Amino acid sequence: MPSTLRALLCLETLPKPIIRAESTYMVPKEKQATLCCQGSYGAVEYQLHFEGSLFAVERPKPPERINGVKFHIPDMNSRKAGRYSCIYRVGELWSERSDLLDLVVTDSWDTCLLTTETGLQKDLALWDHTAQNLLRMGLAFLVLVALVCLLVEDWLSRKRTREQASRASTWEGRRRLNTKTL
């Protein structure tokens, strides 16, 4: 039975492709991003869609030995940041659309240009994990210093109280000794 007829009779469905960024979904400005779309063996065409519109097409050679393709996006910028998806075709049958992948562009100050439903929007700076960890360690150090200060202050206070009690008892003993000798 030809694949077109099977598709029309809904006897055959293709698995949904998987889309992912090759290294990370956060791409530095003006660097290349690589998106991988994995489908089925025998796919003759893969399409990459950006914000719902066709962005790029790849035709693997030979299709029967390859189950995915890579889309290279050179010179990333804020206009190319957004939601990507992919589909593929085996014969005349198209797969359903993959899940969405949000691609984010970062500038040299780690400020991210994030996408929203309505387009691109510059959001608050998202720090990298190293900066966040350094901030947490700094705050933990300050809390530790404050606790040490409180312990030292308590120890000194107790020491003063003991010294005063010791002086008072010594003074009382001397006074009694002086009154007995008189």
Side-chain angles (χ1 to χ4, degrees):
M1 184 181 292
S3 62
T4 308
L5 183 56
R6 279 186 290 197
L8 289 174
L9 295 174
C10 297
L11 297 175
E12 184 179 340
T13 59
L14 297 174
K16 180 165 67 168
I18 298 170
I19 188 170
R20 65 178 175 80
E22 188 168 66
S23 57
T24 178
Y25 69 94
M26 295 180 69
V27 183
K29 194 177 202 177
E30 298 177 8
K31 298 293 180 182
Q32 176 177 289
T34 302
L35 300 182
C36 302
C37 183
Q38 183 179 346
S40 293
Y41 289 101
V44 294
E45 183 176 317
Y46 287 83
Q47 292 184 356
L48 181 66
H49 292 255
F50 172 64
E51 301 288 341
S53 299
L54 182 62
F55 186 79
V57 175
E58 288 287 331
R59 291 180 181 90
K61 302 260 191 280
E64 51 284 336
R65 293 191 186 159
I66 299 171
N67 71 336
V69 295
K70 292 181 180 181
F71 293 97
H72 302 286
I73 305 170
D75 302 323
M76 282 299 297
N77 58 47
S78 60
R79 291 181 317 221
K80 296 176 186 174
R83 294 182 170 186
Y84 287 84
S85 64
C86 67
I87 58 174
Y88 67 96
R89 178 174 60 91
V90 176
E92 299 299 316
L93 187 63
W94 285 95
S95 71
E96 63 180 289
R97 199 172 296 274
S98 70
D99 293 334
L100 294 174
L101 172 71
D102 282 321
L103 201 57
V104 179
V105 177
T106 61
D107 64 16
S108 59
W109 300 101
D110 284 337
T111 302
C112 296
L113 303 174
L114 300 176
T115 63
T116 63
E117 296 282 332
T118 58
L120 298 175
Q121 171 183 338
K122 190 166 187 170
D123 203 357
L124 298 175
L126 294 178
W127 298 354
D128 64 0
H129 297 294
T130 305
Q132 291 176 2
N133 288 339
L134 287 173
L135 178 63
R136 288 183 187 113
M137 287 173 30
L139 289 173
F141 178 74
L142 290 175
V143 168
L144 183 63
V145 167
L147 287 174
V148 167
C149 289
L150 288 172
L151 287 172
V152 167
E153 193 273 329
D154 182 59
W155 178 75
L156 289 174
S157 174
R158 289 175 190 236
K159 184 178 177 184
R160 278 188 229 116
T161 304
R162 276 190 237 118
E163 287 175 354
Q164 289 171 351
S166 176
R167 273 190 243 133
S169 65
T170 304
W171 178 256
E172 185 64 30
R174 284 186 192 156
R175 196 178 69 134
R176 284 186 190 168
L177 187 60
N178 286 342
T179 52
K180 286 185 183 180
T181 56
L182 288 176

